[in-house]
Amino acid sequence: MKSLNAQTAEPKVMFDRRELDTILRVYGMMVAAGEWRDYAIDGLKDRAEFSVFRHAAEFPLYRIVKTPADARKQGAWKIVSATGVILKRGHELHLVLKVFDKARLRLA
C-alpha cells in the first residue's frame, strides 16, 4: 500500500492493516516471552520496515522489511538481523515470520 507524505507529496510504502496485524501478533508473543520491548515503523520510498528492539535506546534486533519491488524476484518480505544478515525471505508474510517460532522454542 502506498500513501502520500503530506510534507513532500512523495509516495511511500507502508504496511496494510492485515499485514500490521500479523506482525503485531508475533510481536505481542515475543513481548510476553520477555524477548522484545519496543518497536518502530518506517515508511520509506522503496520499502516499509518494522524494527524490533530489546531496549528503546539500542539498535534493532530484527527488521521485518516489505519491499514491493522484489515481489516478483525473491519475494516482497524479508527478516534482517542486527548484523544485516537476511534470515528469511519470501512471498508470504506469515511464512517469513515463522523464523521467530524457532526462537521461541529455544526459550522453552
Side-chain angles (χ1 to χ4, degrees), residues 11-76:
K12 63 181 182 176
V13 178
M14 275 310 281
F15 301 107
D16 65 32
R17 187 180 193 110
R18 184 180 43 82
E19 295 164 347
L20 198 53
D21 182 53
T22 303
I23 293 168
L24 287 173
R25 194 172 312 122
V26 172
Y27 174 79
M29 286 188 270
M30 296 302 278
V31 167
E35 289 295 304
W36 298 349
R37 294 211 176 20
D38 201 8
Y39 70 90
I41 299 174
D42 295 311
L44 306 169
K45 190 170 106 172
D46 62 336
R47 68 189 183 281
E49 293 188 3
F50 185 95
S51 301
V52 176
F53 300 87
R54 188 176 309 261
H55 301 289
E58 291 183 348
F59 54 89
L61 291 173
Y62 300 103
R63 290 180 297 126
I64 301 165
V65 182
K66 174 185 177 182
T67 312
D70 291 343
R72 291 186 181 197
K73 300 172 190 170
Q74 307 98 341

